[in-house]
Amino acid sequence: MDGKVVVVTGATSGIGESAALQLAELGATVVPVGRDPGRLERVGAQLRKHGSEAEPLQADFASQAEVRRLAEELLERHERIDVLVNNAGVVRSSRKLSPDGREMTMAINHYAPFLLTNLLLERLLESAPARVVTTASDAHSAGLIDLDDLDMERKWSIFRAYGTSKLANILFTRELARRLEHTAVTANCLHPGVIRSRLGRGGIAGITWKVMSPFMASPRKGGARIVHLAAEPVGGDVTGRYFDDNQPRVLQGQAADDDLAAGLWDRSAALVGLGDVAAA
């Protein structure tokens, strides 16, 4: 990864932090992105020990304005972006709306990476061969995409909200790959495993986390699965795939619905103010 610039969101804890450090160990210039300035500085100091001098960037993914500001800073500071790792995510114990009026789980887990990727897409194309790697989850099987109720006003639960956002990650990846079909930019997503991390430590989800924690994998193992797609040849050889345990898996149900993927893309573009975005 010598000479490669890799942007990692959600890089201040868990699998994102681990992936950032592993990529730096491979020689990449890693740009860590996170919400907490103190944790960002700590991760930045660790990355500098591996020779990665890129400045950490702070952004709150609940806000589309913050995502746009982040994209502007990235474009201003980095003439090339070889890999974008969309890893930032949240599990919420209650329904809440973002500053933009969107359901918060979807705002952070789906709309933010959708917007950021599109804002950086031209730079990724200029830097090609390049990659977009998105952290999804097997929890997508608990999700249900209703294009007329993406904010889940009619029916909301912790597990449906999170599962729906992860299902959206997969559909986004597949549609992005389709739109980038004739370019040298690939898009893949992955299930990192059930990981001991900060994600979901509050509320009911936090109780489950405490019970299951002894059986969960380490953040380093989950981070390595991100690195597999970000750095290994497979991440550049295939596109539009969902990986579990470093293997591409067959998708079923809504996750395999091409029309739904296209519909979600169009609806998401409208909700984040991009209009009709046609990559490539």
Side-chain angles (χ1 to χ4, degrees):
M1 297 294 287
D2 287 350
K4 303 291 186 181
V5 176
V6 182
V7 177
V8 181
T9 71
T12 58
S13 65
I15 62 174
E17 178 180 357
S18 180
L21 293 174
Q22 291 179 56
L23 288 163
E25 290 171 1
L26 294 175
T29 296
V30 179
V31 185
V33 177
R35 185 170 61 90
D36 185 281
R39 291 184 186 140
L40 265 178
E41 181 51 41
R42 176 181 56 78
V43 171
Q46 291 178 290
L47 291 170
R48 285 190 289 273
K49 292 179 181 178
H50 295 288
S52 180
E53 297 295 335
E55 183 177 348
L57 294 176
Q58 188 273 336
D60 183 352
F61 271 24
S63 165
Q64 292 176 19
E66 284 276 287
V67 175
R68 290 180 178 276
R69 178 186 58 77
L70 169 66
E72 290 177 1
E73 291 188 14
L74 285 166
L75 293 173
E76 180 180 317
R77 298 181 186 192
H78 299 283
E79 294 183 354
R80 62 179 303 111
I81 298 175
D82 299 279
V83 183
L84 170 61
V85 177
N86 291 313
N87 173 71
V90 67
V91 176
R92 291 198 55 84
S93 59
S94 61
R95 186 177 181 273
K96 181 179 179 180
L97 297 184
S98 74
D100 304 291
R102 307 270 66 87
E103 191 278 327
M104 188 69 81
T105 310
M106 284 287 285
I108 295 173
N109 294 3
H110 169 60
Y111 297 122
F114 176 86
L115 177 58
L116 181 63
T117 302
N118 276 289
L119 294 174
L120 299 180
L121 200 51
E122 184 176 347
R123 185 61 46 86
L124 286 160
L125 288 164
E126 293 170 350
S127 306
R131 308 178 187 190
V132 178
V133 178
T134 301
T135 301
S137 171
D138 269 0
H140 75 269
S141 60
L144 179 65
I145 297 288
D146 180 349
L147 294 179
D148 295 321
D149 189 27
L150 289 174
D151 291 320
M152 290 168 271
E153 292 180 305
R154 292 192 287 266
K155 187 176 182 181
W156 187 96
S157 71
I158 296 172
F159 303 107
R160 182 187 174 187
Y162 183 70
T164 297
S165 71
K166 296 291 103 178
L167 175 58
N169 290 156
I170 294 173
L171 292 171
F172 157 66
T173 295
R174 296 182 64 245
E175 178 65 8
L176 177 62
R178 186 189 70 78
R179 290 171 176 249
L180 294 172
E181 183 178 4
H182 300 297
T183 75
V185 179
T186 61
N188 293 290
C189 58
L190 71 139
H191 171 55
V194 182
I195 306 296
R196 293 189 300 274
S197 71
R198 294 178 55 85
L199 191 68
R201 289 195 185 185
I204 296 173
I207 297 173
T208 304
W209 186 94
K210 290 179 181 178
V211 172
M212 296 301 295
S213 181
F215 307 99
M216 296 177 179
S218 69
R220 183 166 183 83
K221 185 173 183 179
R225 290 173 176 170
I226 292 175
V227 174
H228 180 71
L229 289 179
E232 296 295 328
V234 64
D237 293 340
V238 301
T239 191
R241 301 302 301 272
Y242 170 72
F243 282 73
D244 181 3
D245 197 19
N246 291 344
Q247 298 296 321
R249 303 300 185 190
V250 175
L251 293 165
Q252 298 179 339
Q254 285 194 323
D257 189 330
D258 293 339
D259 291 337
L260 183 62
L264 178 63
W265 181 286
D266 291 341
R267 187 63 59 87
S268 300
L271 290 174
V272 300
L274 288 177
D276 182 27
V277 180

